[in-house]
Amino acid sequence: MMSASTISASVAPPPPSFIDDIAKQIVPTPTASGFDHYVAVFADDLTVTMDGKQIAPNKVAWVATERHRLGKVDRIVVGFAKGYDALLVIERYDDRSGLSPEMLADPRYTARAVRYAVGSDHLVHNIQIVQTDGILQAPN
């Protein structure tokens, strides 16, 4: 039997290179000039769910939804789990600031955890989103 003093922790292996390549396309905030690189990681049969309900049945529908967020989304990679071929990303963005020139901007960001599931072809086939609105905080 090994004692706790003889067991050492080891660093987890890095994700496969295709996961790293996908993260490099997804994480930077897409701009008009880089949008094609962002879109290239998605399979045509992509499905997207938010809070358990389908919001995009295919790549075309998802791309149409995401195009209006160009330059507005901040993303960070939270992790990759070996054996699952999925990438977990946290996103936050302001979808309210451009609604109408007559409206005051709502300072709350929308936040969501996004799981990008990658298929054997190294393309994203499924996106699962859990989303919440921001919280207004009273000044101290």
Side-chain angles (χ1 to χ4, degrees), residues 2-136:
M2 298 178 80
S3 70
S5 64
T6 61
I7 299 173
S8 63
S10 63
V11 176
S17 61
F18 67 89
I19 293 291
D20 194 41
D21 292 342
I22 289 171
K24 288 177 183 174
Q25 300 307 320
I26 289 174
V27 173
T29 301
T31 61
S33 63
F35 196 67
D36 289 342
H37 295 289
Y38 169 77
V39 170
V41 302
F42 302 122
D44 290 339
D45 68 348
L46 175 74
T47 57
V48 183
T49 59
M50 183 181 306
D51 299 327
K53 297 177 183 164
Q54 187 176 75
I55 61 168
N58 56 45
K59 178 179 178 174
V60 173
W62 178 245
V63 169
T65 299
E66 286 297 288
R67 190 174 298 278
H68 83 278
R69 292 190 179 107
L70 283 175
K72 295 181 181 180
V73 180
D74 295 324
R75 295 182 175 101
I76 60 168
V77 172
V78 174
F80 164 77
K82 185 177 179 183
Y84 290 101
D85 289 345
L87 191 62
L88 181 61
V89 175
I90 299 296
E91 298 181 350
R92 69 179 199 132
Y93 61 94
D94 178 4
D95 251 0
R96 298 173 186 90
S97 62
L99 292 178
S100 166
E102 297 85 34
M103 292 179 64
L104 293 175
D106 187 333
R108 297 175 292 171
Y109 283 89
T110 298
R112 59 191 190 183
V114 185
R115 181 181 183 271
Y116 296 88
V118 180
S120 59
D121 57 359
H122 301 172
L123 294 173
V124 175
H125 287 265
N126 182 266
I127 299 173
Q128 296 170 311
I129 301 169
V130 176
Q131 180 169 292
T132 184
D133 276 336
I135 300 170
L136 279 178

